[in-house]
Amino acid sequence: MLDTGPADEPFAIAGDKMPYAKRSPVGMWSRIVCAPCEQSFHADDEFLIRLVRNLPKLPTLNDSDGSAVGTVLKDYDAQEIKRSVLSVFFRAALSEHEIFQQVKLGPYLEPLRRYIADGDVGAPQGMEIVLRHVLPPLGRLIVSPVRVRFGAVSAYRLYLPFLTAAIKVDNRDWEDGPFRAAQLTAGFTPIALRSERPSPSEMRIITGIHTKHGRQIDRMFARYRDRYK
């Protein structure tokens, strides 16, 4: 169970298939699978909680004009981040909760199960991860995991508080560019790409959600609007 902040800082949880928006006082996930199962992932979740809480304190990666293009996850191990994110993704694939219904892993599910449950060395082939640090207030809006394409490569977007994980479910490599450079890789300092605004595909999703749940979401974010102008 991920609990990333105090109770007076809610996250909005919404998805295309959900009949209403939810206010979550304890972060994104209250329970993905059964309680005993959740306990077995306690260490992974605690690791992610510490990472999310520490994001504002981490150094930025700047491009040639001085603008921040990434967050350097200094002193964090890429493989540990990868395992913790995939443990959430694995539970999402097993969950019967409505917010996770789009997660269908097919032939990737069993290799992922072995990696999570049996301690197989190395993540399943074709499941590389790129992280994105999403700044407030957008980082407080949690959307259902969605399947997307980055060029020809198939992947899922998994939304965590202030982090989005692009999880590849494809044996082809990311195309040349920021994703290939930022892919979590053993032995290298992990980097999360930095974003203050949604991508065009995310804007379509968020616009659709806001059309259905606009008043609820506006109420959830009203107290933070001035803070993040």
Side-chain angles (χ1 to χ4, degrees), residues 158-204:
L158 179 68
Y159 293 83
L160 303 168
F162 304 110
L163 279 177
T164 303
I167 304 173
K168 186 159 68 70
V169 284
D170 198 313
N171 288 330
R172 292 168 290 189
D173 291 333
W174 301 112
E175 296 179 358
D176 285 335
F179 268 44
R180 185 176 290 191
Q183 174 179 298
L184 293 177
T185 304
F188 291 84
T189 300
I191 293 170
L193 302 176
R194 197 173 174 94
S195 174
E196 297 184 25
R197 62 192 66 188
S199 68
S201 62
E202 288 173 311
M203 273 305 303
R204 288 193 294 271

mmCIF file of all heavy atoms in Angstrom, residues 158-204:
data_model
loop_
_atom_site.group_PDB
_atom_site.id
_atom_site.type_symbol
_atom_site.label_atom_id
_atom_site.label_comp_id
_atom_site.label_asym_id
_atom_site.label_seq_id
_atom_site.Cartn_x
_atom_site.Cartn_y
_atom_site.Cartn_z
ATOM 1 N N LEU A 158 2.038 3.789 -16.285
ATOM 2 C CA LEU A 158 1.588 3.518 -14.920
ATOM 3 C C LEU A 158 1.791 4.790 -14.113
ATOM 4 O O LEU A 158 2.903 5.305 -14.013
ATOM 5 C CB LEU A 158 2.390 2.366 -14.315
ATOM 6 C CG LEU A 158 2.043 1.981 -12.872
ATOM 7 C CD1 LEU A 158 0.651 1.363 -12.789
ATOM 8 C CD2 LEU A 158 3.088 1.034 -12.303
ATOM 9 N N TYR A 159 0.695 5.286 -13.531
ATOM 10 C CA TYR A 159 0.731 6.576 -12.838
ATOM 11 C C TYR A 159 0.891 6.367 -11.339
ATOM 12 O O TYR A 159 0.056 5.752 -10.693
ATOM 13 C CB TYR A 159 -0.552 7.359 -13.126
ATOM 14 C CG TYR A 159 -0.663 7.786 -14.568
ATOM 15 C CD1 TYR A 159 -1.146 6.915 -15.535
ATOM 16 C CD2 TYR A 159 -0.263 9.060 -14.965
ATOM 17 C CE1 TYR A 159 -1.237 7.300 -16.869
ATOM 18 C CE2 TYR A 159 -0.345 9.461 -16.285
ATOM 19 C CZ TYR A 159 -0.830 8.570 -17.237
ATOM 20 O OH TYR A 159 -0.912 8.950 -18.552
ATOM 21 N N LEU A 160 1.993 6.904 -10.806
ATOM 22 C CA LEU A 160 2.264 6.942 -9.380
ATOM 23 C C LEU A 160 2.237 8.410 -8.952
ATOM 24 O O LEU A 160 2.275 9.302 -9.800
ATOM 25 C CB LEU A 160 3.631 6.327 -9.081
ATOM 26 C CG LEU A 160 3.836 4.886 -9.560
ATOM 27 C CD1 LEU A 160 5.312 4.519 -9.456
ATOM 28 C CD2 LEU A 160 2.991 3.914 -8.769
ATOM 29 N N PRO A 161 2.167 8.690 -7.672
ATOM 30 C CA PRO A 161 2.213 10.093 -7.244
ATOM 31 C C PRO A 161 3.497 10.780 -7.712
ATOM 32 O O PRO A 161 4.590 10.387 -7.330
ATOM 33 C CB PRO A 161 2.152 9.997 -5.717
ATOM 34 C CG PRO A 161 1.462 8.693 -5.455
ATOM 35 C CD PRO A 161 1.947 7.777 -6.537
ATOM 36 N N PHE A 162 3.352 11.771 -8.592
ATOM 37 C CA PHE A 162 4.448 12.583 -9.103
ATOM 38 C C PHE A 162 5.436 11.817 -9.975
ATOM 39 O O PHE A 162 6.451 12.369 -10.385
ATOM 40 C CB PHE A 162 5.185 13.301 -7.963
ATOM 41 C CG PHE A 162 4.276 14.134 -7.121
ATOM 42 C CD1 PHE A 162 3.974 13.773 -5.817
ATOM 43 C CD2 PHE A 162 3.684 15.274 -7.640
ATOM 44 C CE1 PHE A 162 3.112 14.540 -5.055
ATOM 45 C CE2 PHE A 162 2.818 16.039 -6.874
ATOM 46 C CZ PHE A 162 2.531 15.677 -5.579
ATOM 47 N N LEU A 163 5.173 10.570 -10.253
ATOM 48 C CA LEU A 163 5.999 9.771 -11.163
ATOM 49 C C LEU A 163 5.092 9.024 -12.138
ATOM 50 O O LEU A 163 4.069 8.463 -11.735
ATOM 51 C CB LEU A 163 6.835 8.740 -10.406
ATOM 52 C CG LEU A 163 8.137 9.170 -9.747
ATOM 53 C CD1 LEU A 163 8.740 7.988 -8.995
ATOM 54 C CD2 LEU A 163 9.142 9.698 -10.781
ATOM 55 N N THR A 164 5.482 9.027 -13.397
ATOM 56 C CA THR A 164 4.841 8.171 -14.375
ATOM 57 C C THR A 164 5.892 7.201 -14.889
ATOM 58 O O THR A 164 6.999 7.618 -15.232
ATOM 59 C CB THR A 164 4.270 8.974 -15.554
ATOM 60 O OG1 THR A 164 3.353 9.938 -15.072
ATOM 61 C CG2 THR A 164 3.558 8.063 -16.537
ATOM 62 N N ALA A 165 5.553 5.919 -14.915
ATOM 63 C CA ALA A 165 6.458 4.909 -15.447
ATOM 64 C C ALA A 165 5.950 4.458 -16.812
ATOM 65 O O ALA A 165 4.819 3.997 -16.934
ATOM 66 C CB ALA A 165 6.547 3.715 -14.498
ATOM 67 N N ALA A 166 6.765 4.635 -17.838
ATOM 68 C CA ALA A 166 6.491 4.034 -19.137
ATOM 69 C C ALA A 166 7.126 2.650 -19.123
ATOM 70 O O ALA A 166 8.355 2.527 -19.050
ATOM 71 C CB ALA A 166 7.064 4.888 -20.258
ATOM 72 N N ILE A 167 6.288 1.623 -19.125
ATOM 73 C CA ILE A 167 6.763 0.245 -19.010
ATOM 74 C C ILE A 167 6.582 -0.435 -20.359
ATOM 75 O O ILE A 167 5.457 -0.660 -20.823
ATOM 76 C CB ILE A 167 5.996 -0.519 -17.917
ATOM 77 C CG1 ILE A 167 6.110 0.222 -16.585
ATOM 78 C CG2 ILE A 167 6.519 -1.943 -17.795
ATOM 79 C CD1 ILE A 167 5.254 -0.363 -15.478
ATOM 80 N N LYS A 168 7.678 -0.770 -20.995
ATOM 81 C CA LYS A 168 7.640 -1.377 -22.316
ATOM 82 C C LYS A 168 7.166 -2.817 -22.218
ATOM 83 O O LYS A 168 7.609 -3.576 -21.353
ATOM 84 C CB LYS A 168 9.029 -1.294 -22.953
ATOM 85 C CG LYS A 168 9.114 -1.755 -24.395
ATOM 86 C CD LYS A 168 10.344 -1.180 -25.073
ATOM 87 C CE LYS A 168 11.620 -1.744 -24.519
ATOM 88 N NZ LYS A 168 11.838 -3.156 -24.865
ATOM 89 N N VAL A 169 6.241 -3.207 -23.089
ATOM 90 C CA VAL A 169 5.836 -4.611 -23.231
ATOM 91 C C VAL A 169 6.044 -4.974 -24.698
ATOM 92 O O VAL A 169 5.109 -5.230 -25.448
ATOM 93 C CB VAL A 169 4.379 -4.854 -22.769
ATOM 94 C CG1 VAL A 169 4.296 -4.874 -21.255
ATOM 95 C CG2 VAL A 169 3.416 -3.802 -23.325
ATOM 96 N N ASP A 170 7.301 -5.011 -25.075
ATOM 97 C CA ASP A 170 7.671 -5.140 -26.480
ATOM 98 C C ASP A 170 9.148 -5.510 -26.518
ATOM 99 O O ASP A 170 9.956 -4.900 -25.812
ATOM 100 C CB ASP A 170 7.426 -3.798 -27.193
ATOM 101 C CG ASP A 170 7.354 -3.922 -28.694
ATOM 102 O OD1 ASP A 170 8.226 -4.588 -29.273
ATOM 103 O OD2 ASP A 170 6.428 -3.338 -29.293
ATOM 104 N N ASN A 171 9.515 -6.474 -27.332
ATOM 105 C CA ASN A 171 10.916 -6.887 -27.409
ATOM 106 C C ASN A 171 11.764 -5.953 -28.267
ATOM 107 O O ASN A 171 12.988 -6.089 -28.300
ATOM 108 C CB ASN A 171 11.021 -8.319 -27.932
ATOM 109 C CG ASN A 171 10.564 -9.335 -26.896
ATOM 110 O OD1 ASN A 171 10.700 -9.103 -25.689
ATOM 111 N ND2 ASN A 171 10.007 -10.439 -27.335
ATOM 112 N N ARG A 172 11.125 -5.010 -28.949
ATOM 113 C CA ARG A 172 11.884 -4.020 -29.698
ATOM 114 C C ARG A 172 12.398 -2.935 -28.764
ATOM 115 O O ARG A 172 11.786 -2.644 -27.743
ATOM 116 C CB ARG A 172 11.002 -3.395 -30.788
ATOM 117 C CG ARG A 172 10.633 -4.358 -31.906
ATOM 118 C CD ARG A 172 9.552 -3.800 -32.801
ATOM 119 N NE ARG A 172 8.267 -3.758 -32.105
ATOM 120 C CZ ARG A 172 7.111 -3.483 -32.704
ATOM 121 N NH1 ARG A 172 7.102 -3.197 -33.992
ATOM 122 N NH2 ARG A 172 5.982 -3.468 -32.018
ATOM 123 N N ASP A 173 13.521 -2.341 -29.126
ATOM 124 C CA ASP A 173 14.103 -1.281 -28.309
ATOM 125 C C ASP A 173 13.305 0.011 -28.466
ATOM 126 O O ASP A 173 12.633 0.232 -29.475
ATOM 127 C CB ASP A 173 15.551 -1.011 -28.725
ATOM 128 C CG ASP A 173 16.480 -2.154 -28.363
ATOM 129 O OD1 ASP A 173 16.173 -2.884 -27.389
ATOM 130 O OD2 ASP A 173 17.500 -2.321 -29.059
ATOM 131 N N TRP A 174 13.414 0.874 -27.425
ATOM 132 C CA TRP A 174 12.918 2.234 -27.599
ATOM 133 C C TRP A 174 13.615 2.857 -28.796
ATOM 134 O O TRP A 174 14.780 2.567 -29.071
ATOM 135 C CB TRP A 174 13.229 3.100 -26.373
ATOM 136 C CG TRP A 174 12.686 2.663 -25.065
ATOM 137 C CD1 TRP A 174 13.417 2.206 -24.003
ATOM 138 C CD2 TRP A 174 11.318 2.678 -24.625
ATOM 139 N NE1 TRP A 174 12.595 1.934 -22.934
ATOM 140 C CE2 TRP A 174 11.301 2.205 -23.292
ATOM 141 C CE3 TRP A 174 10.116 3.040 -25.221
ATOM 142 C CZ2 TRP A 174 10.135 2.094 -22.549
ATOM 143 C CZ3 TRP A 174 8.938 2.918 -24.487
ATOM 144 C CH2 TRP A 174 8.959 2.455 -23.174
ATOM 145 N N GLU A 175 12.924 3.753 -29.495
ATOM 146 C CA GLU A 175 13.570 4.483 -30.572
ATOM 147 C C GLU A 175 14.641 5.415 -29.999
ATOM 148 O O GLU A 175 14.602 5.797 -28.834
ATOM 149 C CB GLU A 175 12.530 5.285 -31.359
ATOM 150 C CG GLU A 175 11.520 4.394 -32.070
ATOM 151 C CD GLU A 175 10.483 5.190 -32.836
ATOM 152 O OE1 GLU A 175 10.521 6.445 -32.785
ATOM 153 O OE2 GLU A 175 9.635 4.560 -33.498
ATOM 154 N N ASP A 176 15.615 5.766 -30.827
ATOM 155 C CA ASP A 176 16.667 6.677 -30.387
ATOM 156 C C ASP A 176 16.053 7.974 -29.877
ATOM 157 O O ASP A 176 15.085 8.484 -30.446
ATOM 158 C CB ASP A 176 17.621 6.994 -31.545
ATOM 159 C CG ASP A 176 18.553 5.829 -31.857
ATOM 160 O OD1 ASP A 176 18.796 5.010 -30.954
ATOM 161 O OD2 ASP A 176 19.022 5.745 -33.008
ATOM 162 N N GLY A 177 16.618 8.490 -28.801
ATOM 163 C CA GLY A 177 16.097 9.722 -28.234
ATOM 164 C C GLY A 177 16.073 9.661 -26.727
ATOM 165 O O GLY A 177 16.748 8.827 -26.102
ATOM 166 N N PRO A 178 15.283 10.546 -26.081
ATOM 167 C CA PRO A 178 15.283 10.631 -24.617
ATOM 168 C C PRO A 178 14.906 9.323 -23.927
ATOM 169 O O PRO A 178 15.466 9.005 -22.873
ATOM 170 C CB PRO A 178 14.241 11.725 -24.336
ATOM 171 C CG PRO A 178 14.185 12.534 -25.581
ATOM 172 C CD PRO A 178 14.433 11.575 -26.703
ATOM 173 N N PHE A 179 13.958 8.555 -24.477
ATOM 174 C CA PHE A 179 13.542 7.337 -23.799
ATOM 175 C C PHE A 179 14.672 6.326 -23.721
ATOM 176 O O PHE A 179 14.883 5.701 -22.684
ATOM 177 C CB PHE A 179 12.323 6.725 -24.502
ATOM 178 C CG PHE A 179 11.014 7.188 -23.934
ATOM 179 C CD1 PHE A 179 10.803 8.523 -23.636
ATOM 180 C CD2 PHE A 179 9.984 6.301 -23.684
ATOM 181 C CE1 PHE A 179 9.602 8.968 -23.097
ATOM 182 C CE2 PHE A 179 8.781 6.729 -23.145
ATOM 183 C CZ PHE A 179 8.593 8.065 -22.857
ATOM 184 N N ARG A 180 15.385 6.150 -24.805
ATOM 185 C CA ARG A 180 16.482 5.185 -24.763
ATOM 186 C C ARG A 180 17.568 5.651 -23.803
ATOM 187 O O ARG A 180 18.146 4.853 -23.060
ATOM 188 C CB ARG A 180 17.061 4.964 -26.160
ATOM 189 C CG ARG A 180 18.124 3.861 -26.170
ATOM 190 C CD ARG A 180 18.632 3.560 -27.560
ATOM 191 N NE ARG A 180 17.635 2.890 -28.381
ATOM 192 C CZ ARG A 180 17.906 2.330 -29.554
ATOM 193 N NH1 ARG A 180 19.143 2.365 -30.037
ATOM 194 N NH2 ARG A 180 16.950 1.742 -30.246
ATOM 195 N N ALA A 181 17.821 6.955 -23.768
ATOM 196 C CA ALA A 181 18.853 7.488 -22.879
ATOM 197 C C ALA A 181 18.453 7.386 -21.413
ATOM 198 O O ALA A 181 19.306 7.194 -20.540
ATOM 199 C CB ALA A 181 19.141 8.946 -23.248
ATOM 200 N N ALA A 182 17.151 7.517 -21.114
ATOM 201 C CA ALA A 182 16.682 7.550 -19.724
ATOM 202 C C ALA A 182 16.226 6.188 -19.210
ATOM 203 O O ALA A 182 15.805 6.088 -18.053
ATOM 204 C CB ALA A 182 15.536 8.550 -19.590
ATOM 205 N N GLN A 183 16.282 5.162 -20.015
ATOM 206 C CA GLN A 183 15.858 3.828 -19.576
ATOM 207 C C GLN A 183 16.631 3.396 -18.334
ATOM 208 O O GLN A 183 17.843 3.568 -18.250
ATOM 209 C CB GLN A 183 16.114 2.842 -20.719
ATOM 210 C CG GLN A 183 15.863 1.386 -20.382
ATOM 211 C CD GLN A 183 16.131 0.507 -21.597
ATOM 212 O OE1 GLN A 183 15.472 0.636 -22.613
ATOM 213 N NE2 GLN A 183 17.121 -0.379 -21.487
ATOM 214 N N LEU A 184 15.903 2.879 -17.329
ATOM 215 C CA LEU A 184 16.570 2.409 -16.110
ATOM 216 C C LEU A 184 17.527 1.270 -16.462
ATOM 217 O O LEU A 184 17.124 0.254 -17.019
ATOM 218 C CB LEU A 184 15.533 1.916 -15.100
ATOM 219 C CG LEU A 184 14.606 2.974 -14.493
ATOM 220 C CD1 LEU A 184 13.593 2.311 -13.563
ATOM 221 C CD2 LEU A 184 15.395 4.047 -13.747
ATOM 222 N N THR A 185 18.800 1.466 -16.116
ATOM 223 C CA THR A 185 19.840 0.520 -16.516
ATOM 224 C C THR A 185 20.761 0.261 -15.339
ATOM 225 O O THR A 185 21.220 1.208 -14.683
ATOM 226 C CB THR A 185 20.661 1.073 -17.696
ATOM 227 O OG1 THR A 185 19.774 1.386 -18.784
ATOM 228 C CG2 THR A 185 21.682 0.048 -18.165
ATOM 229 N N ALA A 186 21.024 -1.012 -15.060
ATOM 230 C CA ALA A 186 21.898 -1.382 -13.950
ATOM 231 C C ALA A 186 23.271 -0.738 -14.120
ATOM 232 O O ALA A 186 23.834 -0.718 -15.215
ATOM 233 C CB ALA A 186 22.035 -2.902 -13.876
ATOM 234 N N GLY A 187 23.793 -0.204 -13.016
ATOM 235 C CA GLY A 187 25.123 0.373 -13.032
ATOM 236 C C GLY A 187 25.176 1.836 -13.421
ATOM 237 O O GLY A 187 26.251 2.451 -13.370
ATOM 238 N N PHE A 188 24.033 2.423 -13.818
ATOM 239 C CA PHE A 188 23.978 3.831 -14.190
ATOM 240 C C PHE A 188 23.057 4.586 -13.243
ATOM 241 O O PHE A 188 22.054 4.040 -12.774
ATOM 242 C CB PHE A 188 23.470 3.996 -15.624
ATOM 243 C CG PHE A 188 24.432 3.516 -16.673
ATOM 244 C CD1 PHE A 188 24.473 2.178 -17.035
ATOM 245 C CD2 PHE A 188 25.324 4.390 -17.283
ATOM 246 C CE1 PHE A 188 25.362 1.721 -17.992
ATOM 247 C CE2 PHE A 188 26.217 3.943 -18.244
ATOM 248 C CZ PHE A 188 26.242 2.607 -18.598
ATOM 249 N N THR A 189 23.408 5.852 -12.967
ATOM 250 C CA THR A 189 22.554 6.676 -12.120
ATOM 251 C C THR A 189 21.202 6.877 -12.798
ATOM 252 O O THR A 189 21.146 7.340 -13.937
ATOM 253 C CB THR A 189 23.197 8.046 -11.861
ATOM 254 O OG1 THR A 189 24.450 7.857 -11.201
ATOM 255 C CG2 THR A 189 22.293 8.913 -10.986
ATOM 256 N N PRO A 190 20.101 6.514 -12.131
ATOM 257 C CA PRO A 190 18.787 6.655 -12.771
ATOM 258 C C PRO A 190 18.367 8.114 -12.907
ATOM 259 O O PRO A 190 18.691 8.954 -12.064
ATOM 260 C CB PRO A 190 17.850 5.892 -11.830
ATOM 261 C CG PRO A 190 18.554 5.849 -10.513
ATOM 262 C CD PRO A 190 20.021 5.879 -10.810
ATOM 263 N N ILE A 191 17.652 8.395 -13.974
ATOM 264 C CA ILE A 191 17.144 9.732 -14.264
ATOM 265 C C ILE A 191 15.662 9.622 -14.598
ATOM 266 O O ILE A 191 15.236 8.709 -15.303
ATOM 267 C CB ILE A 191 17.900 10.367 -15.444
ATOM 268 C CG1 ILE A 191 19.362 10.632 -15.056
ATOM 269 C CG2 ILE A 191 17.235 11.668 -15.907
ATOM 270 C CD1 ILE A 191 20.234 11.038 -16.218
ATOM 271 N N ALA A 192 14.871 10.552 -14.080
ATOM 272 C CA ALA A 192 13.464 10.665 -14.461
ATOM 273 C C ALA A 192 13.318 11.894 -15.350
ATOM 274 O O ALA A 192 13.745 12.992 -14.978
ATOM 275 C CB ALA A 192 12.572 10.796 -13.228
ATOM 276 N N LEU A 193 12.780 11.706 -16.552
ATOM 277 C CA LEU A 193 12.489 12.856 -17.402
ATOM 278 C C LEU A 193 11.540 13.788 -16.657
ATOM 279 O O LEU A 193 10.735 13.348 -15.852
ATOM 280 C CB LEU A 193 11.872 12.399 -18.724
ATOM 281 C CG LEU A 193 12.723 11.426 -19.551
ATOM 282 C CD1 LEU A 193 11.959 10.975 -20.789
ATOM 283 C CD2 LEU A 193 14.053 12.067 -19.947
ATOM 284 N N ARG A 194 11.611 15.051 -16.943
ATOM 285 C CA ARG A 194 10.866 16.043 -16.157
ATOM 286 C C ARG A 194 9.731 16.632 -16.996
ATOM 287 O O ARG A 194 9.918 16.957 -18.169
ATOM 288 C CB ARG A 194 11.821 17.148 -15.704
ATOM 289 C CG ARG A 194 11.318 18.021 -14.564
ATOM 290 C CD ARG A 194 12.456 18.930 -14.130
ATOM 291 N NE ARG A 194 12.056 19.893 -13.139
ATOM 292 C CZ ARG A 194 12.183 19.716 -11.825
ATOM 293 N NH1 ARG A 194 12.693 18.591 -11.365
ATOM 294 N NH2 ARG A 194 11.822 20.653 -10.976
ATOM 295 N N SER A 195 8.562 16.764 -16.382
ATOM 296 C CA SER A 195 7.402 17.253 -17.119
ATOM 297 C C SER A 195 6.534 18.143 -16.240
ATOM 298 O O SER A 195 6.236 17.800 -15.103
ATOM 299 C CB SER A 195 6.556 16.079 -17.624
ATOM 300 O OG SER A 195 5.369 16.522 -18.221
ATOM 301 N N GLU A 196 6.149 19.293 -16.784
ATOM 302 C CA GLU A 196 5.210 20.172 -16.097
ATOM 303 C C GLU A 196 3.834 20.129 -16.731
ATOM 304 O O GLU A 196 2.888 20.711 -16.209
ATOM 305 C CB GLU A 196 5.734 21.616 -16.115
ATOM 306 C CG GLU A 196 7.047 21.783 -15.374
ATOM 307 C CD GLU A 196 7.486 23.234 -15.330
ATOM 308 O OE1 GLU A 196 6.604 24.112 -15.424
ATOM 309 O OE2 GLU A 196 8.693 23.480 -15.206
ATOM 310 N N ARG A 197 3.714 19.453 -17.858
ATOM 311 C CA ARG A 197 2.431 19.435 -18.564
ATOM 312 C C ARG A 197 2.232 18.061 -19.198
ATOM 313 O O ARG A 197 3.201 17.340 -19.463
ATOM 314 C CB ARG A 197 2.395 20.517 -19.636
ATOM 315 C CG ARG A 197 3.441 20.357 -20.716
ATOM 316 C CD ARG A 197 3.537 21.604 -21.570
ATOM 317 N NE ARG A 197 4.035 22.721 -20.776
ATOM 318 C CZ ARG A 197 4.077 23.977 -21.217
ATOM 319 N NH1 ARG A 197 3.628 24.268 -22.415
ATOM 320 N NH2 ARG A 197 4.557 24.938 -20.458
ATOM 321 N N PRO A 198 0.996 17.660 -19.431
ATOM 322 C CA PRO A 198 0.730 16.343 -20.000
ATOM 323 C C PRO A 198 1.068 16.288 -21.481
ATOM 324 O O PRO A 198 1.138 17.315 -22.162
ATOM 325 C CB PRO A 198 -0.778 16.166 -19.779
ATOM 326 C CG PRO A 198 -1.310 17.552 -19.740
ATOM 327 C CD PRO A 198 -0.228 18.409 -19.137
ATOM 328 N N SER A 199 1.289 15.078 -21.970
ATOM 329 C CA SER A 199 1.470 14.879 -23.397
ATOM 330 C C SER A 199 0.122 15.056 -24.100
ATOM 331 O O SER A 199 -0.932 15.047 -23.455
ATOM 332 C CB SER A 199 2.000 13.470 -23.656
ATOM 333 O OG SER A 199 1.003 12.514 -23.324
ATOM 334 N N PRO A 200 0.104 15.205 -25.428
ATOM 335 C CA PRO A 200 -1.180 15.337 -26.139
ATOM 336 C C PRO A 200 -2.138 14.177 -25.885
ATOM 337 O O PRO A 200 -3.339 14.381 -25.712
ATOM 338 C CB PRO A 200 -0.751 15.410 -27.607
ATOM 339 C CG PRO A 200 0.624 15.996 -27.566
ATOM 340 C CD PRO A 200 1.251 15.428 -26.321
ATOM 341 N N SER A 201 -1.600 12.937 -25.849
ATOM 342 C CA SER A 201 -2.487 11.790 -25.601
ATOM 343 C C SER A 201 -3.058 11.838 -24.192
ATOM 344 O O SER A 201 -4.222 11.500 -23.966
ATOM 345 C CB SER A 201 -1.734 10.473 -25.828
ATOM 346 O OG SER A 201 -0.658 10.340 -24.925
ATOM 347 N N GLU A 202 -2.252 12.281 -23.215
ATOM 348 C CA GLU A 202 -2.752 12.402 -21.849
ATOM 349 C C GLU A 202 -3.783 13.516 -21.736
ATOM 350 O O GLU A 202 -4.742 13.398 -20.971
ATOM 351 C CB GLU A 202 -1.595 12.647 -20.884
ATOM 352 C CG GLU A 202 -0.735 11.427 -20.665
ATOM 353 C CD GLU A 202 0.486 11.738 -19.838
ATOM 354 O OE1 GLU A 202 1.184 12.716 -20.152
ATOM 355 O OE2 GLU A 202 0.743 11.007 -18.879
ATOM 356 N N MET A 203 -3.609 14.594 -22.497
ATOM 357 C CA MET A 203 -4.589 15.679 -22.463
ATOM 358 C C MET A 203 -5.962 15.184 -22.918
ATOM 359 O O MET A 203 -6.984 15.573 -22.358
ATOM 360 C CB MET A 203 -4.141 16.838 -23.357
ATOM 361 C CG MET A 203 -3.242 17.845 -22.668
ATOM 362 S SD MET A 203 -3.963 18.549 -21.152
ATOM 363 C CE MET A 203 -5.493 19.227 -21.759
ATOM 364 N N ARG A 204 -5.981 14.281 -23.906
ATOM 365 C CA ARG A 204 -7.258 13.733 -24.363
ATOM 366 C C ARG A 204 -7.918 12.935 -23.250
ATOM 367 O O ARG A 204 -9.128 13.022 -23.027
ATOM 368 C CB ARG A 204 -7.044 12.874 -25.605
ATOM 369 C CG ARG A 204 -6.712 13.673 -26.853
ATOM 370 C CD ARG A 204 -6.824 12.834 -28.105
ATOM 371 N NE ARG A 204 -5.830 11.779 -28.157
ATOM 372 C CZ ARG A 204 -4.616 11.910 -28.681
ATOM 373 N NH1 ARG A 204 -4.246 13.084 -29.203
ATOM 374 N NH2 ARG A 204 -3.774 10.915 -28.709
#
